[in-house]
Structures are given as structure tokens and as C-alpha cells.
Amino acid sequence: MIELDDRTRAIQRRAREWARELKPLALELDGDPDAIYRHLDVAIVSYLTRMPVPPRHNPDPVVIDGHRFYGTGTLERVVFAEEVAVGDAGMLLAAPGPVMSGVLVDSLGDERQKEWFYSRILQRPTWTFFALTEPARGSDAGAMETTLAPDGDGYVLNGRKRYIGNAARADIGVVFARTRPGPLGVTAVLAETSDPGFTAEPLETIGLRGLRITNVTLDRVRISAGNVLGQHLRPTQRGMWSAVQGLNRLRPGVAAFGLGIARSAYEYVRENRPGLPLRDRERLDDLGRRITGVRQLIWRAALAVDAARPSAGYEASAAKAKASRLAEDATMEALGFFGAGARLEHPLLDKLARDARAVEFMEGTGNIQKLNLFTGLLQGRLHRG
Ligand SMILES: Cc1cc2nc3c(=O)[nH]c(=O)nc-3n(C[C@H](O)[C@H](O)[C@H](O)COP(=O)(O)OP(=O)(O)OC[C@H]3O[C@@H](n4cnc5c(N)ncnc54)[C@H](O)[C@@H]3O)c2cc1C
């Protein structure tokens, strides 16, 4: 059993307190994703606006029980994300902040790019986006068609991206594009949504509506040479490799959203169906045990990522696959405890079930995680047990 240290327990306690404020807002944000603009002063939202910003760029970190938090450790992020997702995963994803592009800038940016990015983040609440998926290239993102072509002293971006979280609210973000065929021909660039040719159109969705996923069109968007990420790194450490590394770091966090959604559904049944018959109580207890098991798997993956173990990506895939499955099972099972009218009579449970479905697709579907996991097993980079 993995046990948390005092520091991580401090962020867990604080996140749990903060998350209580979210539950009453969850259905409001689900009904109107723009409600996020009314809730920027909610404690958890203002915490997220600055997470993660590494110590070198963050002179004023959040201090909890004497511990400084920068949001850069994976274990602290998953512990935090689970608690917040029990309150509302939608709000967690709707909040401004560096999120996914922050992880990319941290690993691929040079000092000047980091300074530019993090100073924008710390100036005021700033939404960011991370654009990898394309209309015909979801699971197979490595075969992307968006191009980055030289143009004068810089470049131009052309193409379309799909399902990009927060892009319609964002000021800045990271776009992946191709400079030539093959995996080494993929490059990540910093882009500004105010640039001519950048259009983000929100999509109507049913799950995790707070995230406001969008279609992005890139029509000759100019990118200065200084905004190309990873130029100081070896070609093998840029592009698609960096996307995979970034997703490996983020995947335990997405798993934690699934875990939080599952726990929220489980706790809802416990609070709203007292006096269950023995058989139903046993079913609920089984669910509780599954939640505990998946939590350990996620923590293990987070520790592997933090320790940069070679197995980290595979462990993150295992955690994500199990957690998104758990979220869907737990929410469907929870609805089952309330009979045929459950979705209408218990709108929060209905929302949790819709959110759980969306988690399945974030950062790769269950099938893609399983493919990754089996690759790790076959290549001997991951061992059973
Ligand atoms: C809520 C939400 C937020 C998102 N946010 C972002 C974001 O911010 N940025 C971003 O770039 N993308 C984002 N995405 C997109 C997400 O990464 C993709 O939805 C995901 O990668 C799957 O791609 P797809 O939807 O095109 O499905 P497809 O790739 O078309 O897959 C359809 C089905 O085929 C299966 N499948 C595909 N290939 C294989 C295979 N080789 N073997 C077995 N089965 C396979 C899949 O498992 C799935 O069941 C988001 C998606 C959602 C739902």
C-alpha cells in the first residue's frame, strides 16, 4: 500500500475542503459552460490558474500548512485532482491555467519561451489549450495533417484540430503540426488565439461540458521562429516524442478525474440511499473496494512518472484504462440504485454518468491504453505484479 507523506496529505485535506464549494455549482456549469466566468474567485479555481508553474518562474507559490505548492509533482496533482473531481470534474477542467500546455512548455520550452508563457499565466487568469487531435486523426495522432511551413523569417500553420479543450476561451496554447513526413517531422509551437487565421468554434457536448471543447481552424496562422518549441533539444526529443512524454505525465491526472467521478457517484448513493438491503450494500461495498484499488494504481503510476521510471508511460496507461472503466461502471451502477427515473430525478448522477463517458476519450481511449500497456509487457519494459 502506498501511503502519502505529510506534504501530500496537506494538499489532499485542503482540496477536499475546497471541493465542497464546487458541488452546488456543478449543475450550473453543466447547464451553462460560461458560468466559469462567474466563479473565477472560487478558491479551487484561483489555485488552478497558477498550477503548474515551476519554482524558477513562480516567486509566489501557494502555501498550505507551511508547504509550498507549484503543482509540478504528479503524485500531488493526482491526489488533488481526485478530490476536486469529487466536487466537480467539469469545474476542474473549465478553470484557467497552464494545464496541458504548461507541461509541454516545461519540458520543451527554452528559458525565453518559459519566461514568456509563465509571465502571461501569472499576470491574470489565462486559459490555455493543447491542440493535437484532428478530425481524421484522433487515436492515430502521429499521422496528423496540420502543417507548419517556412514563411519568410517565420512559419505558417495550416490545418484543422478537433475536440480541443478551452480553445475558445484561451489566449495562448500549444499546437502540434507537421514539417515533413514521419514521426520526427512533428513539431510543437506556441500559438496565440488572437493571431489572424486562428478560429475556435465551441462544440455542443453532453459530458464534461465545462471544458467547452472546440473545433480549431488554422488558416495561414503566422508563427514566429522564436515560438517553435524544442529547438534547443535533439530532434528525437521534440515533436511526437514530446507529445507522448507530455501525455504520459498527464495521464495519471486524467485517471484521477475518473476516480473522483466514480467516488462522487459512490458517495451520492451512500448519502441518498440509507438502509439499503444487504445485497445492495454488498454491491456498494464492492464498488468502494474497487475505488481503493484503482487509487493505488494511479498513485503508483504517478510515482513512476515522478521518478522518470522507464515503465511510467505504461503504468499511466494502465491507471487511465482502469479509472475510466471504473468511472463508467460506478456511475451506471449508482444510477441503478435509484430505479428507472434515476437520470431525471437525480440530475447530478446523470451528469456524472455523462462526464464519465467523456473521460474515456481524454488522452487516449481504453483501447489505445491497452495497446500501449501490452506493448510495454511484450517489450519487457513493464512487469506484472
Ligand atoms: C472531453 C474531451 C476532451 C478532449 N480534449 C482534448 C484536447 O484538449 N486536445 C486534444 O488534442 N484532444 C482532445 N480530445 C480528443 C481526444 O484525445 C480524442 O477524442 C481521442 O484521442 C480519440 O480520438 P477520436 O475521438 O478521434 O476517436 P477515434 O480515434 O476515431 O477512435 C474511435 C474508436 O476506435 C478505437 N480505436 C482507434 N484506433 C484503434 C486501434 N488502433 N486499436 C483499437 N481500437 C482503436 C478507439 O478506441 C475508439 O473506441 C478530447 C476529447 C474529449 C472527449
mmCIF file of all heavy atoms in Angstrom, residues 93 100 129-141 161-166 176 205 207-208 211 213 247 355 357-368 371, ligand 1:
data_model
loop_
_atom_site.group_PDB
_atom_site.id
_atom_site.type_symbol
_atom_site.label_atom_id
_atom_site.label_comp_id
_atom_site.label_asym_id
_atom_site.label_seq_id
_atom_site.Cartn_x
_atom_site.Cartn_y
_atom_site.Cartn_z
ATOM 1 N N LEU A 93 -11.762 21.257 -15.076
ATOM 2 C CA LEU A 93 -11.293 21.380 -16.459
ATOM 3 C C LEU A 93 -11.625 22.733 -17.068
ATOM 4 O O LEU A 93 -10.988 23.158 -18.029
ATOM 5 C CB LEU A 93 -11.913 20.259 -17.302
ATOM 6 C CG LEU A 93 -11.348 18.886 -16.955
ATOM 7 C CD1 LEU A 93 -12.262 17.778 -17.441
ATOM 8 C CD2 LEU A 93 -9.963 18.723 -17.547
ATOM 9 N N MET A 100 -2.314 21.432 -19.626
ATOM 10 C CA MET A 100 -1.559 20.549 -20.522
ATOM 11 C C MET A 100 -0.445 21.292 -21.242
ATOM 12 O O MET A 100 0.668 20.789 -21.381
ATOM 13 C CB MET A 100 -2.498 19.935 -21.560
ATOM 14 C CG MET A 100 -3.540 19.037 -20.962
ATOM 15 S SD MET A 100 -4.813 18.635 -22.150
ATOM 16 C CE MET A 100 -4.111 17.235 -22.975
ATOM 17 N N PHE A 129 -4.672 26.140 -24.239
ATOM 18 C CA PHE A 129 -5.181 24.953 -24.940
ATOM 19 C C PHE A 129 -4.003 24.111 -25.416
ATOM 20 O O PHE A 129 -2.856 24.581 -25.451
ATOM 21 C CB PHE A 129 -6.080 25.362 -26.124
ATOM 22 C CG PHE A 129 -5.296 26.026 -27.221
ATOM 23 C CD1 PHE A 129 -4.773 25.273 -28.269
ATOM 24 C CD2 PHE A 129 -5.035 27.381 -27.194
ATOM 25 C CE1 PHE A 129 -4.020 25.868 -29.274
ATOM 26 C CE2 PHE A 129 -4.275 27.989 -28.189
ATOM 27 C CZ PHE A 129 -3.774 27.235 -29.224
ATOM 28 N N PHE A 130 -4.323 22.888 -25.800
ATOM 29 C CA PHE A 130 -3.323 21.916 -26.252
ATOM 30 C C PHE A 130 -3.944 21.234 -27.468
ATOM 31 O O PHE A 130 -4.929 20.493 -27.320
ATOM 32 C CB PHE A 130 -3.105 20.928 -25.106
ATOM 33 C CG PHE A 130 -2.250 19.725 -25.395
ATOM 34 C CD1 PHE A 130 -0.913 19.714 -25.029
ATOM 35 C CD2 PHE A 130 -2.784 18.583 -25.974
ATOM 36 C CE1 PHE A 130 -0.125 18.590 -25.250
ATOM 37 C CE2 PHE A 130 -2.004 17.455 -26.200
ATOM 38 C CZ PHE A 130 -0.668 17.465 -25.830
ATOM 39 N N ALA A 131 -3.443 21.531 -28.679
ATOM 40 C CA ALA A 131 -4.131 21.067 -29.892
ATOM 41 C C ALA A 131 -3.341 19.978 -30.602
ATOM 42 O O ALA A 131 -2.372 20.257 -31.310
ATOM 43 C CB ALA A 131 -4.376 22.248 -30.826
ATOM 44 N N LEU A 132 -3.786 18.749 -30.404
ATOM 45 C CA LEU A 132 -3.138 17.590 -31.026
ATOM 46 C C LEU A 132 -4.123 16.886 -31.967
ATOM 47 O O LEU A 132 -3.830 16.664 -33.143
ATOM 48 C CB LEU A 132 -2.667 16.633 -29.915
ATOM 49 C CG LEU A 132 -1.999 15.329 -30.331
ATOM 50 C CD1 LEU A 132 -0.658 15.593 -30.999
ATOM 51 C CD2 LEU A 132 -1.768 14.428 -29.098
ATOM 52 N N THR A 133 -5.318 16.563 -31.457
ATOM 53 C CA THR A 133 -6.297 15.762 -32.207
ATOM 54 C C THR A 133 -6.797 16.500 -33.453
ATOM 55 O O THR A 133 -7.014 17.708 -33.419
ATOM 56 C CB THR A 133 -7.506 15.454 -31.288
ATOM 57 O OG1 THR A 133 -7.012 14.857 -30.094
ATOM 58 C CG2 THR A 133 -8.497 14.529 -31.950
ATOM 59 N N GLU A 134 -6.994 15.729 -34.525
ATOM 60 C CA GLU A 134 -7.547 16.298 -35.767
ATOM 61 C C GLU A 134 -8.806 15.534 -36.159
ATOM 62 O O GLU A 134 -9.018 14.413 -35.687
ATOM 63 C CB GLU A 134 -6.496 16.209 -36.880
ATOM 64 C CG GLU A 134 -5.263 17.027 -36.538
ATOM 65 C CD GLU A 134 -4.233 17.061 -37.648
ATOM 66 O OE1 GLU A 134 -4.413 16.363 -38.664
ATOM 67 O OE2 GLU A 134 -3.254 17.800 -37.479
ATOM 68 N N PRO A 135 -9.612 16.104 -37.075
ATOM 69 C CA PRO A 135 -10.871 15.439 -37.431
ATOM 70 C C PRO A 135 -10.672 13.986 -37.871
ATOM 71 O O PRO A 135 -11.428 13.113 -37.483
ATOM 72 C CB PRO A 135 -11.426 16.307 -38.563
ATOM 73 C CG PRO A 135 -10.855 17.659 -38.306
ATOM 74 C CD PRO A 135 -9.499 17.436 -37.690
ATOM 75 N N ALA A 136 -9.630 13.727 -38.664
ATOM 76 C CA ALA A 136 -9.450 12.344 -39.130
ATOM 77 C C ALA A 136 -8.326 11.641 -38.376
ATOM 78 O O ALA A 136 -7.924 10.542 -38.736
ATOM 79 C CB ALA A 136 -9.156 12.349 -40.625
ATOM 80 N N ARG A 137 -7.764 12.293 -37.374
ATOM 81 C CA ARG A 137 -6.602 11.740 -36.660
ATOM 82 C C ARG A 137 -6.783 11.925 -35.163
ATOM 83 O O ARG A 137 -6.342 12.923 -34.596
ATOM 84 C CB ARG A 137 -5.311 12.453 -37.095
ATOM 85 C CG ARG A 137 -5.056 12.436 -38.573
ATOM 86 C CD ARG A 137 -4.692 11.051 -39.051
ATOM 87 N NE ARG A 137 -4.552 11.022 -40.496
ATOM 88 C CZ ARG A 137 -4.584 9.918 -41.217
ATOM 89 N NH1 ARG A 137 -4.777 8.751 -40.637
ATOM 90 N NH2 ARG A 137 -4.429 9.970 -42.511
ATOM 91 N N GLY A 138 -7.475 10.956 -34.535
ATOM 92 C CA GLY A 138 -7.682 11.027 -33.092
ATOM 93 C C GLY A 138 -6.694 10.112 -32.402
ATOM 94 O O GLY A 138 -5.608 10.525 -31.988
ATOM 95 N N SER A 139 -7.036 8.820 -32.344
ATOM 96 C CA SER A 139 -6.129 7.845 -31.725
ATOM 97 C C SER A 139 -4.802 7.806 -32.474
ATOM 98 O O SER A 139 -3.746 7.586 -31.890
ATOM 99 C CB SER A 139 -6.768 6.459 -31.753
ATOM 100 O OG SER A 139 -7.991 6.486 -31.063
ATOM 101 N N ASP A 140 -4.873 8.028 -33.776
ATOM 102 C CA ASP A 140 -3.679 7.966 -34.625
ATOM 103 C C ASP A 140 -3.105 9.374 -34.816
ATOM 104 O O ASP A 140 -2.851 9.815 -35.941
ATOM 105 C CB ASP A 140 -4.115 7.359 -35.970
ATOM 106 C CG ASP A 140 -2.942 7.088 -36.880
ATOM 107 O OD1 ASP A 140 -1.809 7.033 -36.374
ATOM 108 O OD2 ASP A 140 -3.173 6.948 -38.093
ATOM 109 N N ALA A 141 -2.886 10.081 -33.705
ATOM 110 C CA ALA A 141 -2.489 11.496 -33.796
ATOM 111 C C ALA A 141 -1.150 11.672 -34.503
ATOM 112 O O ALA A 141 -0.896 12.708 -35.114
ATOM 113 C CB ALA A 141 -2.428 12.110 -32.402
ATOM 114 N N LYS A 161 -8.011 21.247 -36.167
ATOM 115 C CA LYS A 161 -7.911 20.439 -34.952
ATOM 116 C C LYS A 161 -9.321 20.242 -34.410
ATOM 117 O O LYS A 161 -10.206 21.079 -34.630
ATOM 118 C CB LYS A 161 -7.032 21.155 -33.915
ATOM 119 C CG LYS A 161 -5.577 21.354 -34.371
ATOM 120 C CD LYS A 161 -4.795 20.065 -34.319
ATOM 121 C CE LYS A 161 -3.375 20.208 -34.801
ATOM 122 N NZ LYS A 161 -2.652 18.917 -34.786
ATOM 123 N N ARG A 162 -9.517 19.146 -33.669
ATOM 124 C CA ARG A 162 -10.874 18.845 -33.186
ATOM 125 C C ARG A 162 -10.837 18.468 -31.708
ATOM 126 O O ARG A 162 -9.852 17.885 -31.254
ATOM 127 C CB ARG A 162 -11.440 17.686 -34.004
ATOM 128 C CG ARG A 162 -12.861 17.324 -33.630
ATOM 129 C CD ARG A 162 -13.505 16.411 -34.639
ATOM 130 N NE ARG A 162 -12.956 15.068 -34.597
ATOM 131 C CZ ARG A 162 -13.571 14.002 -35.107
ATOM 132 N NH1 ARG A 162 -14.731 14.140 -35.709
ATOM 133 N NH2 ARG A 162 -13.024 12.816 -35.039
ATOM 134 N N TYR A 163 -11.922 18.785 -31.018
ATOM 135 C CA TYR A 163 -12.112 18.432 -29.597
ATOM 136 C C TYR A 163 -11.073 19.100 -28.696
ATOM 137 O O TYR A 163 -10.572 18.482 -27.747
ATOM 138 C CB TYR A 163 -12.034 16.916 -29.378
ATOM 139 C CG TYR A 163 -12.983 16.076 -30.182
ATOM 140 C CD1 TYR A 163 -12.637 14.774 -30.544
ATOM 141 C CD2 TYR A 163 -14.234 16.549 -30.557
ATOM 142 C CE1 TYR A 163 -13.507 13.975 -31.267
ATOM 143 C CE2 TYR A 163 -15.107 15.754 -31.292
ATOM 144 C CZ TYR A 163 -14.730 14.469 -31.640
ATOM 145 O OH TYR A 163 -15.580 13.683 -32.358
ATOM 146 N N ILE A 164 -10.731 20.332 -28.970
ATOM 147 C CA ILE A 164 -9.670 20.989 -28.204
ATOM 148 C C ILE A 164 -10.283 21.731 -27.011
ATOM 149 O O ILE A 164 -11.061 22.679 -27.190
ATOM 150 C CB ILE A 164 -8.860 21.960 -29.103
ATOM 151 C CG1 ILE A 164 -8.408 21.232 -30.386
ATOM 152 C CG2 ILE A 164 -7.678 22.545 -28.340
ATOM 153 C CD1 ILE A 164 -7.644 19.932 -30.163
ATOM 154 N N GLY A 165 -9.912 21.291 -25.814
ATOM 155 C CA GLY A 165 -10.490 21.858 -24.596
ATOM 156 C C GLY A 165 -10.110 23.320 -24.429
ATOM 157 O O GLY A 165 -8.954 23.697 -24.613
ATOM 158 N N ASN A 166 -11.109 24.140 -24.068
ATOM 159 C CA ASN A 166 -10.912 25.544 -23.677
ATOM 160 C C ASN A 166 -10.383 26.465 -24.778
ATOM 161 O O ASN A 166 -10.103 27.635 -24.499
ATOM 162 C CB ASN A 166 -9.960 25.647 -22.467
ATOM 163 C CG ASN A 166 -10.649 25.244 -21.178
ATOM 164 O OD1 ASN A 166 -11.848 25.482 -21.015
ATOM 165 N ND2 ASN A 166 -9.919 24.632 -20.273
ATOM 166 N N PHE A 176 0.331 21.160 -32.304
ATOM 167 C CA PHE A 176 1.236 20.205 -32.950
ATOM 168 C C PHE A 176 0.983 20.230 -34.450
ATOM 169 O O PHE A 176 -0.169 20.231 -34.890
ATOM 170 C CB PHE A 176 0.992 18.788 -32.417
ATOM 171 C CG PHE A 176 1.573 18.590 -31.049
ATOM 172 C CD1 PHE A 176 0.856 18.930 -29.925
ATOM 173 C CD2 PHE A 176 2.855 18.088 -30.904
ATOM 174 C CE1 PHE A 176 1.402 18.766 -28.660
ATOM 175 C CE2 PHE A 176 3.413 17.921 -29.647
ATOM 176 C CZ PHE A 176 2.684 18.261 -28.519
ATOM 177 N N THR A 205 -21.721 19.501 -26.522
ATOM 178 C CA THR A 205 -21.304 18.207 -25.968
ATOM 179 C C THR A 205 -22.263 17.804 -24.852
ATOM 180 O O THR A 205 -23.042 18.630 -24.367
ATOM 181 C CB THR A 205 -19.883 18.290 -25.377
ATOM 182 O OG1 THR A 205 -19.838 19.369 -24.444
ATOM 183 C CG2 THR A 205 -18.843 18.505 -26.449
ATOM 184 N N GLY A 207 -20.932 15.560 -22.147
ATOM 185 C CA GLY A 207 -20.156 15.243 -20.944
ATOM 186 C C GLY A 207 -19.051 16.259 -20.736
ATOM 187 O O GLY A 207 -18.570 16.866 -21.701
ATOM 188 N N LEU A 208 -18.661 16.474 -19.491
ATOM 189 C CA LEU A 208 -17.621 17.449 -19.135
ATOM 190 C C LEU A 208 -17.827 18.750 -19.905
ATOM 191 O O LEU A 208 -16.909 19.274 -20.545
ATOM 192 C CB LEU A 208 -16.226 16.865 -19.406
ATOM 193 C CG LEU A 208 -15.819 15.719 -18.481
ATOM 194 C CD1 LEU A 208 -14.471 15.136 -18.886
ATOM 195 C CD2 LEU A 208 -15.758 16.164 -17.012
ATOM 196 N N LEU A 211 -15.588 22.017 -19.909
ATOM 197 C CA LEU A 211 -14.327 22.104 -20.660
ATOM 198 C C LEU A 211 -14.492 22.820 -21.997
ATOM 199 O O LEU A 211 -13.533 23.330 -22.559
ATOM 200 C CB LEU A 211 -13.783 20.682 -20.878
ATOM 201 C CG LEU A 211 -12.507 20.505 -21.674
ATOM 202 C CD1 LEU A 211 -11.343 21.247 -21.032
ATOM 203 C CD2 LEU A 211 -12.147 19.030 -21.798
ATOM 204 N N ILE A 213 -15.171 21.940 -25.322
ATOM 205 C CA ILE A 213 -14.258 21.523 -26.386
ATOM 206 C C ILE A 213 -14.660 22.182 -27.709
ATOM 207 O O ILE A 213 -15.826 22.515 -27.923
ATOM 208 C CB ILE A 213 -14.139 19.990 -26.510
ATOM 209 C CG1 ILE A 213 -15.468 19.322 -26.780
ATOM 210 C CG2 ILE A 213 -13.487 19.395 -25.293
ATOM 211 C CD1 ILE A 213 -15.334 17.818 -26.975
ATOM 212 N N LEU A 247 1.852 13.470 -22.568
ATOM 213 C CA LEU A 247 0.627 12.729 -22.244
ATOM 214 C C LEU A 247 0.899 11.709 -21.139
ATOM 215 O O LEU A 247 0.055 11.491 -20.274
ATOM 216 C CB LEU A 247 0.063 12.044 -23.493
ATOM 217 C CG LEU A 247 -0.476 13.006 -24.561
ATOM 218 C CD1 LEU A 247 -0.917 12.249 -25.805
ATOM 219 C CD2 LEU A 247 -1.637 13.839 -24.040
ATOM 220 N N ASP A 355 -20.248 12.691 -17.714
ATOM 221 C CA ASP A 355 -18.836 13.080 -17.565
ATOM 222 C C ASP A 355 -17.921 11.858 -17.667
ATOM 223 O O ASP A 355 -16.843 11.915 -18.278
ATOM 224 C CB ASP A 355 -18.613 13.766 -16.208
ATOM 225 C CG ASP A 355 -19.199 15.173 -16.152
ATOM 226 O OD1 ASP A 355 -19.665 15.663 -17.200
ATOM 227 O OD2 ASP A 355 -19.196 15.783 -15.063
ATOM 228 N N ARG A 357 -18.288 9.191 -19.342
ATOM 229 C CA ARG A 357 -18.127 8.768 -20.741
ATOM 230 C C ARG A 357 -17.058 9.615 -21.441
ATOM 231 O O ARG A 357 -16.276 9.119 -22.256
ATOM 232 C CB ARG A 357 -19.479 8.895 -21.460
ATOM 233 C CG ARG A 357 -19.481 8.358 -22.858
ATOM 234 C CD ARG A 357 -19.393 6.841 -22.862
ATOM 235 N NE ARG A 357 -19.040 6.301 -24.161
ATOM 236 C CZ ARG A 357 -18.067 5.415 -24.363
ATOM 237 N NH1 ARG A 357 -17.348 4.958 -23.380
ATOM 238 N NH2 ARG A 357 -17.819 4.957 -25.560
ATOM 239 N N ALA A 358 -17.040 10.902 -21.117
ATOM 240 C CA ALA A 358 -16.058 11.796 -21.760
ATOM 241 C C ALA A 358 -14.636 11.444 -21.331
ATOM 242 O O ALA A 358 -13.699 11.527 -22.132
ATOM 243 C CB ALA A 358 -16.380 13.248 -21.415
ATOM 244 N N VAL A 359 -14.470 11.017 -20.076
ATOM 245 C CA VAL A 359 -13.118 10.681 -19.581
ATOM 246 C C VAL A 359 -12.518 9.550 -20.413
ATOM 247 O O VAL A 359 -11.319 9.520 -20.681
ATOM 248 C CB VAL A 359 -13.157 10.304 -18.076
ATOM 249 C CG1 VAL A 359 -11.803 9.791 -17.606
ATOM 250 C CG2 VAL A 359 -13.583 11.500 -17.234
ATOM 251 N N GLU A 360 -13.374 8.637 -20.867
ATOM 252 C CA GLU A 360 -12.892 7.507 -21.685
ATOM 253 C C GLU A 360 -12.037 7.993 -22.868
ATOM 254 O O GLU A 360 -11.061 7.360 -23.254
ATOM 255 C CB GLU A 360 -14.111 6.689 -22.154
ATOM 256 C CG GLU A 360 -13.954 5.883 -23.441
ATOM 257 C CD GLU A 360 -12.978 4.710 -23.354
ATOM 258 O OE1 GLU A 360 -12.524 4.386 -22.245
ATOM 259 O OE2 GLU A 360 -12.653 4.135 -24.418
ATOM 260 N N PHE A 361 -12.381 9.149 -23.447
ATOM 261 C CA PHE A 361 -11.691 9.603 -24.662
ATOM 262 C C PHE A 361 -10.498 10.500 -24.378
ATOM 263 O O PHE A 361 -9.643 10.674 -25.238
ATOM 264 C CB PHE A 361 -12.683 10.350 -25.575
ATOM 265 C CG PHE A 361 -13.677 9.416 -26.185
ATOM 266 C CD1 PHE A 361 -14.859 9.120 -25.534
ATOM 267 C CD2 PHE A 361 -13.400 8.785 -27.383
ATOM 268 C CE1 PHE A 361 -15.759 8.222 -26.072
ATOM 269 C CE2 PHE A 361 -14.293 7.885 -27.932
ATOM 270 C CZ PHE A 361 -15.481 7.598 -27.272
ATOM 271 N N MET A 362 -10.459 11.086 -23.198
ATOM 272 C CA MET A 362 -9.402 12.074 -22.937
ATOM 273 C C MET A 362 -8.036 11.403 -22.897
ATOM 274 O O MET A 362 -7.850 10.408 -22.219
ATOM 275 C CB MET A 362 -9.662 12.785 -21.603
ATOM 276 C CG MET A 362 -10.882 13.668 -21.655
ATOM 277 S SD MET A 362 -11.142 14.468 -20.079
ATOM 278 C CE MET A 362 -9.845 15.691 -20.124
ATOM 279 N N GLU A 363 -7.112 11.972 -23.638
ATOM 280 C CA GLU A 363 -5.733 11.472 -23.700
ATOM 281 C C GLU A 363 -5.646 10.000 -24.056
ATOM 282 O O GLU A 363 -4.829 9.258 -23.511
ATOM 283 C CB GLU A 363 -5.015 11.786 -22.394
ATOM 284 C CG GLU A 363 -4.840 13.277 -22.298
ATOM 285 C CD GLU A 363 -4.201 13.735 -21.032
ATOM 286 O OE1 GLU A 363 -3.437 12.955 -20.461
ATOM 287 O OE2 GLU A 363 -4.472 14.862 -20.643
ATOM 288 N N GLY A 364 -6.520 9.607 -24.971
ATOM 289 C CA GLY A 364 -6.461 8.242 -25.486
ATOM 290 C C GLY A 364 -7.535 7.348 -24.894
ATOM 291 O O GLY A 364 -7.746 7.337 -23.682
ATOM 292 N N THR A 365 -8.201 6.588 -25.772
ATOM 293 C CA THR A 365 -9.293 5.714 -25.324
ATOM 294 C C THR A 365 -8.726 4.489 -24.597
ATOM 295 O O THR A 365 -7.518 4.229 -24.642
ATOM 296 C CB THR A 365 -10.102 5.221 -26.540
ATOM 297 O OG1 THR A 365 -9.224 4.433 -27.350
ATOM 298 C CG2 THR A 365 -10.659 6.367 -27.360
ATOM 299 N N GLY A 366 -9.641 3.719 -23.997
ATOM 300 C CA GLY A 366 -9.235 2.498 -23.292
ATOM 301 C C GLY A 366 -8.472 1.555 -24.214
ATOM 302 O O GLY A 366 -7.474 0.941 -23.810
ATOM 303 N N ASN A 367 -8.924 1.436 -25.473
ATOM 304 C CA ASN A 367 -8.229 0.535 -26.410
ATOM 305 C C ASN A 367 -6.784 0.973 -26.612
ATOM 306 O O ASN A 367 -5.869 0.149 -26.657
ATOM 307 C CB ASN A 367 -8.926 0.544 -27.783
ATOM 308 C CG ASN A 367 -10.213 -0.249 -27.765
ATOM 309 O OD1 ASN A 367 -10.453 -1.019 -26.842
ATOM 310 N ND2 ASN A 367 -11.047 -0.061 -28.775
ATOM 311 N N ILE A 368 -6.592 2.262 -26.749
ATOM 312 C CA ILE A 368 -5.235 2.769 -27.007
ATOM 313 C C ILE A 368 -4.355 2.557 -25.765
ATOM 314 O O ILE A 368 -3.181 2.192 -25.869
ATOM 315 C CB ILE A 368 -5.297 4.267 -27.424
ATOM 316 C CG1 ILE A 368 -6.106 4.414 -28.718
ATOM 317 C CG2 ILE A 368 -3.909 4.883 -27.562
ATOM 318 C CD1 ILE A 368 -5.648 3.553 -29.884
ATOM 319 N N LEU A 371 -3.392 -1.078 -25.779
ATOM 320 C CA LEU A 371 -2.338 -1.341 -26.776
ATOM 321 C C LEU A 371 -0.978 -0.931 -26.219
ATOM 322 O O LEU A 371 0.012 -1.658 -26.332
ATOM 323 C CB LEU A 371 -2.606 -0.536 -28.055
ATOM 324 C CG LEU A 371 -3.598 -1.114 -29.056
ATOM 325 C CD1 LEU A 371 -3.826 -0.128 -30.192
ATOM 326 C CD2 LEU A 371 -3.060 -2.434 -29.615
HETATM 327 C C1 LIG B 1 -13.710 15.679 -23.096
HETATM 328 C C2 LIG B 1 -12.627 15.601 -24.128
HETATM 329 C C3 LIG B 1 -11.560 16.495 -24.085
HETATM 330 C C4 LIG B 1 -10.550 16.449 -25.054
HETATM 331 N N1 LIG B 1 -9.553 17.386 -25.015
HETATM 332 C C5 LIG B 1 -8.604 17.387 -25.992
HETATM 333 C C6 LIG B 1 -7.614 18.431 -26.031
HETATM 334 O O1 LIG B 1 -7.611 19.360 -25.190
HETATM 335 N N2 LIG B 1 -6.675 18.391 -27.016
HETATM 336 C C7 LIG B 1 -6.644 17.403 -27.963
HETATM 337 O O2 LIG B 1 -5.762 17.432 -28.809
HETATM 338 N N3 LIG B 1 -7.605 16.416 -27.972
HETATM 339 C C8 LIG B 1 -8.579 16.388 -27.019
HETATM 340 N N4 LIG B 1 -9.566 15.419 -27.017
HETATM 341 C C9 LIG B 1 -9.589 14.421 -28.087
HETATM 342 C C10 LIG B 1 -9.192 13.018 -27.635
HETATM 343 O O3 LIG B 1 -7.805 12.961 -27.404
HETATM 344 C C11 LIG B 1 -9.675 12.049 -28.740
HETATM 345 O O4 LIG B 1 -11.094 12.022 -28.668
HETATM 346 C C12 LIG B 1 -9.124 10.660 -28.573
HETATM 347 O O5 LIG B 1 -7.740 10.635 -28.807
HETATM 348 C C13 LIG B 1 -9.815 9.668 -29.525
HETATM 349 O O6 LIG B 1 -9.824 10.145 -30.820
HETATM 350 P P1 LIG B 1 -11.199 10.140 -31.661
HETATM 351 O O7 LIG B 1 -12.252 10.766 -30.820
HETATM 352 O O8 LIG B 1 -10.919 10.720 -32.998
HETATM 353 O O9 LIG B 1 -11.585 8.612 -31.785
HETATM 354 P P2 LIG B 1 -11.005 7.544 -32.824
HETATM 355 O O10 LIG B 1 -9.528 7.588 -32.840
HETATM 356 O O11 LIG B 1 -11.731 7.717 -34.114
HETATM 357 O O12 LIG B 1 -11.464 6.187 -32.142
HETATM 358 C C14 LIG B 1 -12.789 5.666 -32.274
HETATM 359 C C15 LIG B 1 -12.819 4.277 -31.647
HETATM 360 O O13 LIG B 1 -11.876 3.413 -32.324
HETATM 361 C C16 LIG B 1 -10.987 2.832 -31.379
HETATM 362 N N5 LIG B 1 -9.650 2.713 -31.983
HETATM 363 C C17 LIG B 1 -8.980 3.656 -32.696
HETATM 364 N N6 LIG B 1 -7.769 3.179 -33.077
HETATM 365 C C18 LIG B 1 -7.668 1.921 -32.576
HETATM 366 C C19 LIG B 1 -6.664 0.916 -32.621
HETATM 367 N N7 LIG B 1 -5.500 1.115 -33.248
HETATM 368 N N8 LIG B 1 -6.913 -0.257 -31.988
HETATM 369 C C20 LIG B 1 -8.076 -0.483 -31.335
HETATM 370 N N9 LIG B 1 -9.075 0.439 -31.271
HETATM 371 C C21 LIG B 1 -8.872 1.619 -31.881
HETATM 372 C C22 LIG B 1 -10.961 3.794 -30.202
HETATM 373 O O14 LIG B 1 -10.616 3.119 -29.002
HETATM 374 C C23 LIG B 1 -12.404 4.286 -30.173
HETATM 375 O O15 LIG B 1 -13.194 3.375 -29.461
HETATM 376 C C24 LIG B 1 -10.590 15.456 -26.073
HETATM 377 C C25 LIG B 1 -11.661 14.548 -26.111
HETATM 378 C C26 LIG B 1 -12.673 14.621 -25.160
HETATM 379 C C27 LIG B 1 -13.828 13.647 -25.239
#
